[in-house]
Amino acid sequence: GEEVAQTPKHLVRGEGQKAKLYCAPIKGHSYVFWYQQVLKNEFKFLISFQNENVFDETGMPKERFSAKCLPNSPCSLEIQATKLEDSAVYFCASSQIGKYQPQHFGDGTRLSIL
Amino acid sequence: DQQVKQNSPSLSVQEGRISILNCDYTNSMFDYFLWYKKYPAEGPTFLISISSIKDKNEDGRFTVFLNKSAKHLSLHIVPSQPGDSAVYFCAAITTSGTYKYIFGTGTRLKVLA
């Protein structure tokens, strides 16, 4: 598609439950990025993919967070055993291959942990 | 360690006047800079960018200026319109060691009619 599609728009989970977020990048874009935005502050980088391969995962809290981008499927970000501090808006972005290509963002998934 | 800083959380400007949004960075390895605009409940949208080898880039009402020696960039919007009211984020790209965007904390611009 022509837009980055993130689902669901809002996800509510009890503390300790699992949360799974999805992202369909723009067709033809090779890079996918996940960001966490807490309290409308800066975008904290989590992980990036080049096609289905992890490109950079230096921002991922590895104990509970995992992500995948499989061929012919939306990318996913999964949080196991959620904590209150995981409450945030999670944005996905995609970009074309090539240096300095602008990232195109989805509208985010608001995750609320109760 | 905030490598990209937007020190003004908010800015109000009268319609028709110039809006100037500022951004400072600390890492001299950044070689490309972008500005994004964000409306509530939407993702950021790309606005304008500038390479570190340039000092100015213009696109319609939007101009970005880069002062490498001061590690400072600014976004000028002239004339400002009510529809420009949004949160503006600057971002810097580093390709040193990896390929990553570093975002600032944003400035909320309000254009008053």
Side-chain angles (χ1 to χ4, degrees):
Chain A
E2 292 299 315
E3 293 181 344
V4 175
Q6 288 190 250
T7 54
K9 285 194 183 306
H10 194 183
L11 185 60
V12 180
R13 287 287 180 266
E15 200 174 7
Q17 292 185 316
K18 182 175 77 174
K20 196 164 186 178
L21 292 61
Y22 296 92
C23 169
I26 292 173
K27 205 170 182 180
H29 283 193
S30 299
Y31 285 101
V32 171
F33 304 82
W34 283 99
Y35 295 92
Q36 180 194 57
Q37 191 190 34
V38 178
L39 296 175
K40 301 184 181 179
N41 286 335
E42 78 263 27
F43 293 82
K44 181 194 170 195
F45 168 77
L46 294 175
I47 190 169
S48 60
F49 289 84
Q50 184 176 4
N51 298 313
E52 62 266 27
N53 304 306
V54 174
F55 187 71
D56 182 345
E57 58 181 347
T58 53
M60 283 286 267
K62 288 184 184 174
E63 302 81 31
R64 298 182 297 109
F65 285 58
S66 63
K68 290 179 190 175
C69 273
L70 300 175
N72 304 313
S73 297
C75 296
S76 63
L77 176 69
E78 190 167 344
I79 309 172
Q80 304 284 345
T82 53
K83 299 182 178 181
L84 296 175
E85 69 214 42
D86 298 330
S87 295
V89 181
Y90 291 82
F91 287 96
C92 171
S94 69
S95 70
Q96 293 179 330
I97 201 159
K99 231 176 177 184
Y100 313 138
Q101 291 293 324
Q103 293 180 8
H104 298 261
F105 283 79
D107 288 340
T109 293
R110 179 175 296 278
L111 176 63
S112 300
I113 306 300
L114 306 178
Chain B
D1 177 25
Q2 188 64 36
Q3 297 185 63
V4 179
K5 297 179 186 178
Q6 293 176 257
N7 291 319
S8 299
S10 63
L11 175 69
S12 290
V13 169
Q14 208 66 36
E15 182 179 7
R17 305 295 291 267
I18 184 171
S19 295
I20 300 177
L21 297 103
N22 294 304
C23 181
D24 296 293
Y25 61 95
T26 56
N27 189 343
S28 57
M29 298 303 291
F30 290 144
D31 47 10
Y32 202 79
F33 303 89
L34 309 93
W35 283 95
Y36 281 80
K37 177 166 108 172
K38 186 183 181 303
Y39 293 120
E42 293 184 10
T45 53
F46 169 68
L47 206 52
I48 192 169
S49 61
I50 188 166
S51 164
S52 61
I53 62 172
K54 293 189 172 182
D55 54 18
K56 178 182 174 181
N57 189 25
E58 195 171 348
D59 184 2
R61 296 185 298 114
F62 303 91
T63 303
V64 55
F65 294 92
L66 175 63
N67 182 336
K68 277 191 72 176
S69 59
K71 295 194 179 68
H72 176 84
L73 66 155
S74 60
L75 174 68
H76 293 210
I77 307 173
V78 182
S80 301
Q81 298 172 354
D84 296 329
S85 297
V87 179
Y88 290 78
F89 292 90
C90 65
I93 295 181
T94 176
T95 56
S96 171
T98 183
Y99 175 70
K100 192 176 287 183
Y101 274 49
I102 309 294
F103 284 88
T105 50
T107 295
R108 181 178 301 279
L109 173 66
K110 190 169 184 180
V111 180
L112 307 168

